[in-house]
Amino acid sequence: MDDELNHRARALLRAIAAGRAEVTRSSEPDLKVDGLLCSDQCAARELAHAGLLRPAQRDGAGPWVRAELTAAGRAVLS
């Protein structure tokens, strides 16, 4: 997937790494950056399905939780 990531996908990963993103805990997750819905939910879902991001919390109240990079997501940015 690393070779296929465009500028927008990398920007989403950088926002997640900076702690600026939230994600839903669903099989087709939605992503917010700086409190605003991501305009490219397809890219956000592709990143999640590729195992590059995940919810920081598995349980809890509310539909939105902080997003975090997986080890694979951090490797893509390094």
Side-chain angles (χ1 to χ4, degrees):
M1 173 103 191
D2 184 24
D3 294 336
E4 301 172 19
L5 290 181
N6 61 27
H7 178 73
R8 181 180 300 158
R10 288 180 183 279
L12 289 173
L13 292 178
R14 286 192 301 272
I16 294 165
R20 297 173 34 222
E22 296 175 283
V23 66
T24 57
R25 294 177 301 245
S26 67
S27 60
E28 293 295 331
D30 291 321
L31 187 71
K32 286 184 190 178
V33 177
D34 296 332
L36 301 172
L37 279 173
C38 174
S39 63
D40 191 349
Q41 290 298 331
C42 289
R45 290 175 180 157
E46 287 173 3
L47 293 172
H49 290 300
L52 301 179
L53 69 94
R54 66 179 171 223
Q57 302 157 282
R58 300 275 181 225
D59 54 0
W64 294 95
V65 297
R66 187 177 60 82
E68 68 181 6
L69 295 180
T70 63
R74 289 189 299 276
V76 166
L77 290 181
S78 63

